[in-house]
Amino acid sequence: MTTLASKETALLVVHLQHDIVSPGTAFGELFNEQVVAGNILAQCNKAMQIVREAGGLVVLLRIAFQDDYSDLADSIPLLQMVVQAECLKEGSEGAALVSDITVEPEDITLTHQRPGPFTGSDLDKVLSEKGIQNVVVCGVATNASVESVVRQASDLGYNTSVLTDASSAADEAAHQASLGSLSLFARHVTVDDLMS
């Protein structure tokens, strides 16, 4: 197997935003405990640095909406929860990436409005133009948007991998169940595997 981290690799870092991963926030109430237990932010930072040093691309994904949620698909139960919690509004602190994540000038930050970031965005075009063949996914939550990213990337023909030790869900059982499903669409790798 060739080295996964290369100039043909993009690391897609999913939704490390205050309203999703920070304690006491709308979705942080669900996800923060596992983010802390798995040291997810540090693991994502480590993966990001490995991919950068290999000449690959880091894409930080944000989900955020207009104040009136007019750009939100309220037919999706997960997004109905966003409206109920009045969170992830563009320009708010809650929608911002957490400060524990290091963003470098060469990184791309992409904001989208669906659990799957390829929908309604130019993400596929950006990756194609940069010659990306391998997509590696990490972040929160494994059984929601991480899974959406993996499935979409796989459908689009990318060689797709999920970082099992840089992703988490509300609990370990949900994380593992999602990884089980994702084994049909993506390789399971660890952060250290990126260097091998």
Side-chain angles (χ1 to χ4, degrees):
M1 184 182 76
T2 58
T3 302
L4 185 55
S6 74
K7 64 180 182 176
E8 297 176 339
T9 296
L11 177 67
L12 305 188
V13 185
V14 181
H15 299 172
L16 300 184
Q17 299 163 257
H18 286 292
D19 277 341
I20 296 175
V21 301
S22 294
T25 61
F27 288 96
E29 291 289 343
L30 294 172
F31 300 129
N32 176 260
E33 182 178 337
Q34 288 298 305
V35 168
V36 172
N39 205 21
I40 299 304
L41 301 181
Q43 287 291 90
C44 288
N45 267 328
K46 182 178 177 183
M48 291 161 67
Q49 192 55 33
I50 292 168
V51 169
R52 287 188 199 108
E53 289 176 359
L57 178 67
V58 171
V59 181
L60 297 121
L61 299 171
R62 296 174 60 251
I63 187 164
F65 306 94
Q66 296 178 15
D67 277 348
D68 62 359
Y69 295 118
S70 59
D71 54 346
L72 180 145
D74 61 7
S75 59
I76 302 173
L78 177 61
L79 299 187
Q80 291 171 6
M81 295 168 64
V82 170
V83 177
Q84 290 164 5
E86 296 186 1
C87 65
L88 293 171
K89 292 184 178 183
E90 188 60 81
S92 69
E93 181 181 351
L97 295 169
V98 295
S99 59
D100 294 329
I101 290 299
T102 302
V103 182
E104 298 293 351
E106 66 267 27
D107 299 340
I108 293 174
T109 300
L110 184 138
T111 302
H112 58 100
Q113 286 75 42
R114 300 292 184 270
F118 289 93
T119 302
S121 80
D122 61 355
L123 179 56
D124 185 40
K125 181 175 180 243
V126 168
L127 298 184
S128 296
E129 287 177 350
K130 293 192 175 289
I132 298 300
Q133 296 183 18
N134 310 307
V135 165
V136 181
V137 185
C138 63
V140 177
T142 317
N143 61 331
S145 292
V146 169
E147 187 161 327
S148 292
V149 176
V150 168
R151 288 172 181 265
Q152 286 190 314
S154 177
D155 280 353
L156 289 167
Y158 294 99
N159 300 316
T160 308
S161 302
V162 59
L163 288 178
T164 59
D165 59 347
S167 304
S168 64
D171 56 60
E172 184 63 16
H175 174 66
Q176 292 299 332
S178 181
L179 290 177
S181 296
L182 288 179
S183 65
L184 300 172
F185 302 94
R187 291 169 41 204
H188 287 187
V189 297
T190 66
V191 172
D192 286 344
D193 289 336
L194 291 175
M195 297 182 291
S196 61

